[in-house]
Amino acid sequence: QVQLVESGGGLVQPGGSLRLSCVASGFSFRLYVMSWYRQAPGKERELVAGITSDDGSTNYAESVKGRFTIARDNAKNTVHLQMNSLKPEDTAVYYCNAGRRITGRSYWGQGTQVTVSS
């Protein structure tokens, strides 16, 4: 059974930090591109950051470059998103995604709420 379980969300003041984690099970984690998406109320889900399965290359949305860092630990089937200098506009539900283009498979976590407010 495939599972992606996110944790680490919460309420933080502007300028603060949070570290999201996503623990995967039920599939070959090391073969999948891992990504974080977010969806704010009334908005479409958007890609925040991704990390490849082979060389660990990363990509980020322009809005989070320099503030967020994605990293994976294949030994622990875990992907993290370190979020620094948080802004109110970062408020959203954050989702973990595992994708493998060659098979077309894509898995989602249940999401974790991040709220940035004073």
Side-chain angles (χ1 to χ4, degrees):
Q1 180 183 0
V2 172
Q3 280 193 310
L4 293 173
V5 180
E6 300 106 331
S7 62
L11 173 64
V12 64
Q13 292 187 343
S17 298
L18 283 175
R19 186 183 190 227
L20 304 184
S21 297
C22 172
V23 180
S25 61
F27 63 97
S28 297
F29 178 84
R30 62 180 180 84
L31 298 179
Y32 281 69
V33 172
M34 297 303 298
S35 304
W36 287 95
Y37 287 73
R38 67 185 180 188
Q39 187 167 20
K43 294 188 177 182
E44 293 187 355
R45 190 172 297 190
E46 64 172 352
L47 176 66
V48 175
I51 185 166
T52 62
S53 57
D54 44 12
D55 62 1
S57 298
T58 58
N59 66 286
Y60 297 93
E62 284 295 326
S63 60
V64 307
K65 278 184 180 178
R67 300 189 297 123
F68 290 11
T69 302
I70 188 171
R72 66 188 296 159
D73 184 342
N74 287 344
K76 296 182 179 180
N77 286 5
T78 301
V79 60
H80 302 285
L81 184 68
Q82 178 67 44
M83 305 187 295
N84 299 328
S85 302
L86 283 161
K87 305 175 181 179
E89 50 264 44
D90 294 318
T91 295
V93 178
Y94 283 71
Y95 297 91
C96 176
N97 174 267
R100 193 172 183 212
R101 187 176 300 176
I102 194 170
T103 63
R105 290 178 179 170
S106 179
Y107 306 123
W108 291 92
Q110 82 287 352
T112 185
Q113 176 70 47
V114 171
T115 302
V116 184
S117 175
S118 55

